Amino acid sequence: MTAPISIDLALQGGGSHGAFTWGVLDRLPEDSTLSFAGISGTSAGALNAAVLASGWARGGRGGARAALQAFWRDVSEAGRCFRPDWNAWAGPLADAWQQWARSFSPYQLNPMGLNPLRDVLQRHVDLAALHARKGPRLFVVATAVQTGQPRVFAGRELSIDALLASACLPHLFQSVQIDGEAYWDGGYSGNPALWPLIYETDEADLLLVKIQPLQRPQPPRSAIEIAERVAEISFNSALVAELRAIAFVKKLLREERVERGRYKDLRLHMIADEQELAALPPQSKMDTRWDLLERLFTLGRAAAHGWLAQHRKDLGVRSSMDIERQFLQPRKR
């Protein structure tokens, strides 16, 4: 029997839209010819990675899928205590409410620093398994508040606080203190960070699961939409910069201008559904109702299924993602 091909995963963050990635991670393990060596995740991507690795350590592929389903069900239940009802609070009223709320810092609105996500993570993440590296190797990214630099947590540095830091939106939660330093969401500096996979694993196939839209069908007009679009652009900028550098190295390798073997010649792949995710309202990233999470899960599974049907044969052979066309050139509608 042929050994599974080993690949790396890079998982973007995007709030509740991380349920799309859950769908992808539910479908991929069904293919027994694939295995995961390293996973770099940011925010919701980091949470998905930690839960998947915890479940994998307990019960292999089936354990990983079951763990992710239980986690997202718990997220939906826990979300009832802090999410707004977007059906009741729609349009200008919701816009005005959010703008008023954002005039206060989380240190004023939540002086105790409460975060319902902490209890959820403690129920679903097995830190001992992550430290023992019984499943895929994890890299979790957070942003240092004072320097603006990314920090990658791996190995025994992985903790509940590291996961909370990676998902810490500064207008909602107080910064997370780790080793005397304050951290915010990793999306500001790496969403997700690709370099840990380049330098710390041997695999050449890297599969990106992208959930932050690069483009929107219409320019934003409301205050909420403008703020969310600014965040999306910011959360994509570090990824685009890394991909630009990778494209440059690949060009040098093709032209034999650098010594082959000194640089990893990555084979890049991507699973996304830009059209469907961009069509969702920006505030849906904070909506944890089960019907929305199930819809996103279904979209993710379908996207992964389609990618496997079209590009599984490319793994180990060639890239199936064109960096320059998909990320570095302005796309006309």
Side-chain angles (χ1 to χ4, degrees), residues 142-187:
T143 304
V145 176
Q146 291 175 273
T147 66
Q149 296 299 307
R151 176 173 173 182
V152 177
F153 296 88
R156 301 200 67 82
E157 289 183 333
L158 290 169
S159 65
I160 298 299
D161 279 343
L163 293 169
L164 289 173
S166 185
C168 179
L169 292 171
H171 61 278
L172 292 179
F173 301 108
Q174 295 183 22
S175 62
V176 179
Q177 300 288 322
I178 302 175
D179 299 332
E181 187 156 10
Y183 291 93
W184 280 340
D185 197 295

Side-chain angles (χ1 to χ4, degrees), residues 98 101-102 104-106 109 168-174 184 188 228 231 286:
Q98 284 204 71
R102 288 192 180 192
F104 298 91
S105 83
L109 293 177
C168 179
L169 292 171
H171 61 278
L172 292 179
F173 301 108
Q174 295 183 22
W184 280 340
Y188 296 109
E228 291 294 337
M286 297 302 298

Side-chain angles (χ1 to χ4, degrees), residues 70-85:
F71 169 73
W72 281 99
R73 173 64 79 174
D74 205 353
V75 166
S76 181
E77 293 297 326
R80 291 177 178 173
C81 67
F82 63 88
R83 70 165 183 255
D85 184 346

Side-chain angles (χ1 to χ4, degrees), residues 12-51:
Q12 267 201 327
S16 298
H17 291 190
F20 175 90
T21 304
W22 163 34
V24 172
L25 298 178
D26 187 76
R27 176 63 183 89
L28 291 181
E30 289 181 344
D31 187 334
S32 61
T33 68
L34 293 180
S35 66
F36 309 132
I39 308 178
S40 178
T42 295
S43 196
L47 309 187
N48 274 318
V51 173

Side-chain angles (χ1 to χ4, degrees), residues 117-128:
L117 189 56
R118 179 180 294 278
D119 291 338
V120 174
L121 290 174
Q122 288 174 336
R123 288 193 289 269
H124 297 276
V125 173
D126 184 345
L127 291 176

